[in-house]
Amino acid sequence: MERNIAKSDVTSPGLGRNQLTRVISAVILVVTVYCSWLSIGTNDFNRHMLAQLLGADAENSHYDYSLKWDVFYAFNFPDGNLFIKFNGLDPEKHKNFILSQYIRASYNLYPRKVYVTTLPVELTDSASILQNNAISSESWLTANGVDSIVTFSLTSNGDQAYTITRTKQPSQ
Amino acid sequence: MIGTAVYFLVIIVLGYAVLCAILHRARLPLFEFIPLVVGLGLGFAGTFQFWLSLLGLKPSQSGLMVLGVTAGILIRRSIASGKIVRIQSPADKISPGDKTITVLAGIPLFFALLIVLVHALGHGMYEWDAYMLWGFKAKVLSTNAIRDAGYFSDLNFAMLHLNYPLMIPFLMAGINGAAGEMLEILPKLIFPIFYLTMGMFLYSGLRSSLPVWQATALTTLFLTGPHILRWSGSGLADVPLAAFYSGAILQLIKWVETENSPDLLLSGIFAGFCGFTKNEGLLMVLLITAAVCGVLIYKKCASLFPQLLHYGFGVAVITGPWLIYRRQLPKVDENYLAHFSVATISENLGRLDFIAVSIIESISNWQNWNALWIILGVLAAIRIRQTCQLTNLMLWGLLATHIFAYALIYLIGPLNPDGLMQATLDRLLIHVSPVALLIVGRYCSGICGADAWSKTPRRSV
């Protein structure tokens, strides 16, 4: 038994249908192949991602930036929780840096914890992080299993630098 | 790897079990069968894992077994009662010429899929939003049941939008659970699968009114669009959302044209998946609900009104538990609804020019979308009479209100739209573009004189 299917509203009278069909078909095909080639063959981002996968040295991509810090955190902080301190950074000028360090490190080291504050406060942006970015006490660090502190600061010529302080030596 | 394979097998079995439970004894063409099974499987896998997590069970091999066995029992019962969905063999033969053109039009798809695979599986989570919104939550849900995860109430993570929907994190966590370990890259496999599912949904929608090669060419045109390619494998939830939305719209179109209530139920379920995938999905639920009500009013058929319950049931089952659960989570997102007032709108009216120009610039740049929107504009201009047909009117209504709603969000939002639109507009337009493609397909079928239902045999019982 066939379900009752209404003949829909998509049919239409075909004036010069054959010619029109051929023209439309040719246009669709040419546009499809041409656009696909442009999109696939000439797109910088796609080419870069492939080159990166194949081991080529390509800088300034999203991936390079994330990877650089992934390696930094994985290599330097193999154990325990981490506290990140920001000294002298500007909440506007260094907004992306502050946020990405906190979030990328948290993502990377999970299920270990990354702290930027010792308070249970709502952190919504770089300004709120900097406002609460203090270590209340040594005992807080111990109680929360913080083995290392990384401090990001600015050098005299404005470059970013970091120092690592261990509260406990990493196990081998 | 075996765990991941089993996971996807369970997804397929689950999707088929649900499909059998809804469309008893139906016969579907292969191109309609596959996206329905995979789409339902993905959606229910995410949803069920959320429910299990609420009960205190994190995604794991044993949870996966429970899902697989339950789905298997459901299929067995369907077989026993003869209520199974079968694949219908193709009714029409394709000429060798058409076959060649189809292959030619389809070749770019192969390369497009390769690119999406490179983005997804060649790299870890490299996009800010991808790891901040979805990847991190996936890790959390892999290690804890949601009710035990302190993360969701940790205000130090307020900027990670703790109350964002969890479909994608749960699907990714499912891969970790199936593997029994925390994997970095393999959970991203769901993104190429969503890309393919979206493509198959759209092909299925186009194929219902177009010959094989035209449907293939238009699907290729869409799937190889730079914006679609750019975000499909990146780990963001926009393409999965567009995939579920495509499923909801296709089932809605089918219901409009057949008035079969299971189609509306399926539309409701896919709309529910949208609501559990991204906040924008809740807007989609509203749009589809409005479309259903509009069609019912237009048809003036009182006997169809009870079918609204099917739709509402589908939406409520999927989004209900999530919406109830999220009420206890800290509200730390942009909360656009709170800004929705006449005062805010009039205060920000100066933004309107910029917002309109940005949207028009994006869709009129033919390289962004492989000329999709330009083709749509041209066809709409030359086929204006066809626009007045019910289904096309409904699709245009959905398209226009969807774009208008996004424009409104930029208008009332607390952030300046300049930077925000630059970062998000192309991703938001991905949500809208499946409807644009379906309208193009309908215009093409009108021009080429194809009959919507003569090209492919439809469901039979």
Side-chain angles (χ1 to χ4, degrees), chain A residues 160-171:
Chain A
Q160 280 158 11
Y162 67 85
T163 50
I164 295 171
T165 313
R166 308 273 179 210
T167 56
K168 187 178 160 190
Q169 283 308 307
S171 57

Side-chain angles (χ1 to χ4, degrees), chain B residues 98-114:
Chain B
D98 278 2
K99 211 176 261 181
T100 310
I101 302 173
T102 305
V103 172
L104 269 180
I107 285 173
L109 270 183
F110 172 74
F111 291 102
L113 180 62
L114 273 186

Side-chain angles (χ1 to χ4, degrees), chain A residues 1-14 17 20-21 24-26 28-29 31-41 43 45-46 48-50 52-53 62-63 66 70 96 99-104 106-111 113-126 128-129, chain B residues 24 101 104-105 108 111-112 115 118-119 122-128 131-132 135-136 139-140 143-144 154-160 182 184 213-214 217-218 220-221 224-226 229-230 257-258 260 332 366-367 370-371 375 383 386 389-391 442 444-453 458-461:
Chain A
M1 186 175 67
E2 287 293 323
R3 281 196 186 186
N4 181 24
I5 293 168
K7 277 261 170 128
S8 81
D9 41 17
V10 292
T11 53
S12 71
R17 182 174 288 170
L20 202 54
T21 303
I24 297 280
S25 305
I28 291 175
L29 198 65
V31 169
T32 300
V33 173
Y34 182 63
C35 289
S36 304
W37 160 245
L38 277 184
S39 176
I40 296 169
N43 187 293
F45 183 77
N46 296 336
H48 174 86
M49 294 297 276
L50 184 62
Q52 182 84 51
L53 179 66
H62 292 60
Y63 183 61
S66 305
D70 287 355
N96 290 343
L99 292 177
S100 65
Q101 289 311 314
Y102 176 40
I103 303 302
R104 191 71 194 179
S106 300
Y107 170 74
N108 211 278
L109 298 185
Y110 189 87
K113 279 214 73 170
V114 175
Y115 297 96
V116 287
T117 180
T118 56
L119 305 169
V121 288
E122 193 173 301
L123 301 176
T124 52
D125 52 18
S126 53
S128 57
I129 290 177
Chain B
H24 315 296
I101 302 173
L104 269 180
F111 291 102
I115 286 175
V118 166
H119 289 186
H123 305 275
M125 284 279 189
Y126 54 87
E127 284 294 341
W128 168 255
Y131 62 82
M132 178 176 126
F136 199 168
K139 281 191 172 186
V140 172
T143 49
N144 292 292
D154 187 345
L155 291 175
N156 282 185
F157 286 137
M159 69 187 80
L160 301 188
M182 188 85 85
E184 185 61 35
W213 81 265
Q214 282 186 14
L218 284 177
T220 303
L221 188 79
T224 56
L229 279 184
R230 172 68 181 80
E257 295 177 345
T258 66
N260 290 325
V332 282
W366 71 278
Q367 281 198 26
N370 276 1
I375 294 172
R383 301 291 298 175
Q386 206 180 332
Q389 293 156 353
L390 174 61
T391 311
R442 297 182 74 82
C444 285
S445 76
I447 291 170
C448 301
D451 184 322
W453 304 105
R458 308 296 293 175
R459 206 178 290 154
S460 59
V461 290

Side-chain angles (χ1 to χ4, degrees), chain B residues 13-29:
Chain B
V13 171
L14 191 60
Y16 185 57
V18 175
L19 193 65
C20 288
I22 295 173
L23 301 178
H24 315 296
R25 296 195 187 99
R27 279 182 185 275
L28 299 176

Side-chain angles (χ1 to χ4, degrees), chain B residues 47-107:
Chain B
T47 308
F48 284 150
Q49 287 182 100
F50 168 57
W51 293 351
L52 289 175
S53 199
L54 283 176
L55 295 173
L57 299 169
K58 66 178 185 180
S60 63
Q61 288 161 348
S62 49
L64 194 62
M65 288 296 285
V66 170
L67 280 186
V69 169
T70 311
I73 292 169
L74 280 175
I75 291 176
R76 206 182 145 82
R77 285 186 61 180
S78 297
I79 292 171
S81 56
K83 293 177 179 175
I84 56 164
V85 177
R86 292 175 199 275
I87 298 170
Q88 195 168 44
S89 53
D92 47 353
K93 291 259 187 262
I94 307 168
S95 71
D98 278 2
K99 211 176 261 181
T100 310
I101 302 173
T102 305
V103 172
L104 269 180
I107 285 173

